[in-house]
Amino acid sequence: MHSTCRYLKVSAIAAAVLLLSAAANAAEVDLAPAVATVPDFKLTAAGYFNAATGKVDGPVVVHVIGDRIQRVGVGDNAVAAALAEGPVEDLGAVFLSPGFIDAHVQLLAEPETNHGEQLNAGLPRQVINGVIAAETTLRAGVTTVRMLGAPGYGGVALRDAITEGDVIGPRILTAGVAICITGAHCGGEYRLPYEANPAHTGVADGPWAARRLVRQNRKFGADLITTCSSDGAASKGADAGAPQGTLEELQAIVEEANSYGMTVACGAHGATAIKVALKAGVDSIEHASFIDDEGIRLAKANDAALVMDIYGTEYLLSAGETAGALPESMEKERRVGQIQRDNFRKAHDAGVRLVFGTDAGVFPHGDNLRQLSRMVDYGMTPAEALQAATIHAAKLLGIEGEVGELRAGASADFVVLPANPLEDISVVMQPITVYRAGTPYDGVTRSN
């Protein structure tokens, strides 16, 4: 009986194979496994922004194979040679720029909801916000971002989903959970009542507790570490810029992070808090609103970057109350905004390394590049502003050579713009096409 059953099973399998073979032959179906084709294309444009020199060169031909730039040729002869080699797509009188890099974003934040409500929204909802924001950000021309703090390692999950092709968005470097003392601005629990459990926030009091959270962030996939050494505009009670944490705590964070090859970004508005963070050895100061002359000298001596979000105040002062911002936060913003912009000019004039970062999430995602024109308004040339958002930002993120330039070997991250951005910086708000690792996405034009 058993042998008969085995015979019938084998016969059935053999018959199925014969039937499939016959059907394939009859229909001339190729059952060989499909071979994925590698993108291979060439584009020509009137010119491109050379981030290394700060100039626009052209005409230009860019050859992309897979997710990499194979070759960048400049001049009529280079374009003619490319045309002779085979098909080339002529984009016409447009200009190319390296994909833009925003070194300070909050992709999980929803700017039309006040800060307190966002804290109570829950991680699943915040990650969904991040999925939407990621695609919006990419289509606006920002191909790489640095996320400085996100609850529950939602930023790590979003980064990995984009890397694996499940979600559309920019390349993400994420700091995991922000590390702060009890009650501090970026600790995630400063508006929570006493009975709430702060175990899942980034609260750490004392050097060893701070080291433990660095280790935890690394364990759960963070690319870098973020902390804060002062109060912020959204914080409850304290003045914007009030110091938070000690030099010893910040030094412990920096030392532990550096031992793993991780950088440290520190949010600091106040002059004293900025100097404490710089003495601790952080890689970048975020906001830097009240930086003084000594802080500027320290930043320059340490080659630390200032990431000053000088656009966000416009949105907060125009739409903050409608979005539910607390009156005390609005009053802080009124005091901070213009001082921060004036200090941006002072830092630029002193030769401090300024990197493009916007704190997007405080204002609507996708409006990131509005800040470039404000950086020009407050002292930068258009070339300097573009470099701050390309080659200099790539250096801060530790991925220079990979992004931030249109050059052979780099990731094929670039933006097609309708005009020369050195002549009119506002054209960055009108991306025609955005290429991320060789894949094109339709750009979304935003208002200036």
Side-chain angles (χ1 to χ4, degrees), residues 259-271:
S259 72
Y260 300 121
M262 303 170 82
T263 57
V264 178
C266 183
H269 289 276

Side-chain angles (χ1 to χ4, degrees), residues 246-271:
T246 66
L247 175 61
E248 291 77 13
E249 287 168 320
L250 287 169
Q251 286 174 327
I253 291 170
V254 171
E255 184 179 305
E256 193 70 30
N258 289 172
S259 72
Y260 300 121
M262 303 170 82
T263 57
V264 178
C266 183
H269 289 276

Side-chain angles (χ1 to χ4, degrees), residues 273-424:
I274 291 166
K275 287 179 282 193
V276 170
L278 289 170
K279 290 174 183 177
V282 302
D283 296 277
S284 66
I285 298 291
E286 314 301 309
H287 313 300
S289 302
F290 297 113
I291 193 168
D292 61 15
D293 291 342
E294 183 184 353
I296 287 173
R297 286 193 296 271
L298 267 175
K300 189 172 181 180
N302 292 3
D303 194 30
L306 300 185
V307 184
M308 301 178 74
D309 49 330
I310 63 172
Y311 165 69
T313 190
E314 290 182 33
Y315 176 81
L316 288 169
L317 293 181
S318 65
E321 291 183 12
T322 303
L326 295 175
E328 64 177 298
S329 296
M330 294 296 296
E331 180 55 32
K332 289 179 188 178
E333 192 61 44
R334 291 185 188 98
R335 286 189 280 121
V336 169
Q338 190 57 48
I339 294 172
Q340 184 193 42
R341 290 175 165 200
D342 292 339
N343 284 331
F344 177 91
R345 186 188 296 277
K346 286 178 63 176
H348 169 262
D349 291 346
V352 177
R353 186 156 59 100
L354 295 168
V355 169
F356 179 79
T358 67
D359 208 4
V362 167
F363 61 85
H365 298 285
D367 283 352
N368 313 53
L369 298 180
R370 284 186 179 184
Q371 182 169 294
L372 288 174
S373 64
R374 279 59 172 183
M375 293 166 79
V376 172
D377 291 341
Y378 283 87
M380 281 188 162
T381 66
E384 288 173 330
L386 292 171
Q387 287 175 316
T390 53
I391 192 169
H392 296 330
K395 178 183 177 182
L396 174 60
L397 272 58
I399 50 176
E400 62 268 42
E402 173 70 11
V403 297
E405 295 181 76
L406 263 74
R407 67 181 187 85
S411 179
D413 293 9
F414 55 94
V415 182
V416 182
L417 300 173
N420 185 339
L422 294 187
E423 296 176 356
D424 179 5

